[in-house]
Amino acid sequence: MSEATNPNGDGSTTVAAGVSSAIAEPPREKVTKKVLTADHPTWCPGCGDFAVLASFYKVLEKLNLEHEKIVTLAGIGCSSRFPYFVNGHGAHFIHGRAVPLASGISLSRPDLHVFLFGGDGDGFSIGGNHLDHGARKNINLTYFIMDNFVYGLTKKQTSPTSPIGFKSKTDPTGAIDQPVNPMKKLIAGGATFIARTHAANVVHMMQMIERAFDHQGFSVIECLSECVEFFPDVFDPANPKKGGSFEVIDEKKWDGTPEDELRHDVTDELAAYKLASLPFPGVFGVFYQSDRPTKNALEKKWIETTREKAGNASDLDILQKTFDRMK
Ligand SMILES: Cc1ncc(C[n+]2csc(CCOP(=O)(O)OP(=O)(O)O)c2C)c(N)n1
Ligand code: SF4
Ligand SMILES: [Mg+2]
């Protein structure tokens, strides 16, 4: 999503007519955690989402983006409270509808950095359909899904990623439905950057956020983020501090060595699908990445061509001509 750092797309910046480029801009305030911190997070003590927020602040600090260009959006859920805690443009939207909201913002304001946050219920259940369409259209944004295998905010219902046998208020004798495999869903949906991480591994989480940010297109990170209240310890098998093992995907280096042949090619969809089929807790890192054109780029080109065909008329003239034709 680094397109936003270069609004004109050619290395230039626009100076409004009549405004002298000699006017010195006041020095920019550095984007620090202090500047980025808004409200006090209201998650339960020990909730995995705290680490996600801390990692996000750290990545923003490192990237030192223009503060006014940062947008955080979310649906509904504990994880979706995220925009409240970030001092930037933000919105807490209807449950499951964060992707269309973010898509509109990304398409109409390519100069902004659009970050989307939410939970497994928001993304894979009520918003599952929107996720697929954002992915196939390859909208330029970064979507961070805090997957805790449960509906946290509404106090323990089975979520689309809850494992079979999970006892909840909606499945008191244990869940019987096949859970969604987030990586497989995202690969099939057409997302062009797909990664998986764990909230207990801040360094890895930050690497994934940065790589997702650098990607042009629909970048998604699934992060195992523990709900200590309603599904504690479920991610321990992938947490070395709790006796588990965190296995990172060994990506191809394209160095021509025999060992490189065994490494994962992130552009290989089938190989990504095989990694996604590994039993829980699976592996972590970048599963898939492709450079398919974004809708943002395709739509921009289409608008330019159409405008040219209309003799570079203004929006108002084009609208007027359309109305005139309808008379
Ligand atoms: C249309 C609609 N249906 C249901 C709800 C109730 N609801 C609010 S959050 C939520 C689930 C949130 O789960 P998840 O996205 O996994 O977030 P978490 O709280 O676990 O972080 C539900 C069912 C709602 N707010 N709106
Ligand atoms: S209920 Fe679970 S997900 Fe929600 S804040 Fe508490 S620990 Fe986090
Ligand atoms: Mg959840």
Side-chain angles (χ1 to χ4, degrees), residues 210-275:
E210 244 192 285
R211 283 184 65 178
F213 173 78
D214 283 341
H215 177 76
Q216 283 283 324
F218 197 83
S219 51
V220 194
I221 301 165
E222 181 216 6
C223 176
L224 303 183
S225 179
E226 185 180 334
C227 172
V228 290
E229 194 63 31
F230 299 120
F231 206 168
D233 308 327
V234 58
F235 303 133
D236 288 0
N239 185 354
K241 286 177 213 138
K242 302 252 191 100
S245 69
F246 186 78
E247 200 187 320
V248 177
I249 295 167
D250 192 13
E251 280 178 50
K252 260 196 199 309
K253 297 186 170 69
W254 303 105
D255 56 9
T257 59
E259 57 267 29
D260 206 39
E261 277 173 34
L262 299 172
R263 293 191 180 119
H264 177 57
D265 173 3
V266 293
T267 65
D268 185 339
E269 208 174 302
L270 215 60
Y273 208 78
K274 278 188 188 152
L275 286 182

Side-chain angles (χ1 to χ4, degrees), residues 26-75:
R28 295 194 74 88
E29 191 182 11
K30 195 167 162 24
V31 174
T32 59
K33 182 185 169 199
K34 194 171 165 222
V35 169
L36 289 165
T37 305
D39 217 353
H40 178 72
T42 47
W43 294 306
C44 308
C47 176
D49 296 354
F50 280 104
V52 179
L53 183 66
S55 304
F56 184 61
Y57 285 153
K58 278 195 182 146
V59 172
L60 290 191
E61 257 183 357
K62 187 174 168 202
L63 297 172
N64 197 25
L65 306 176
E66 289 165 316
H67 195 179
E68 69 278 12
K69 301 254 165 100
I70 299 166
V71 186
T72 57
L73 305 163

Side-chain angles (χ1 to χ4, degrees), residues 155-179:
K155 301 183 191 296
K156 203 177 183 177
Q157 292 82 24
T158 299
S159 96
T161 52
S162 300
I164 290 173
F166 175 61
K167 287 188 180 151
S168 72
K169 286 186 183 130
T170 42
D171 277 307
T173 55
I176 52 171
D177 299 319
Q178 170 76 19

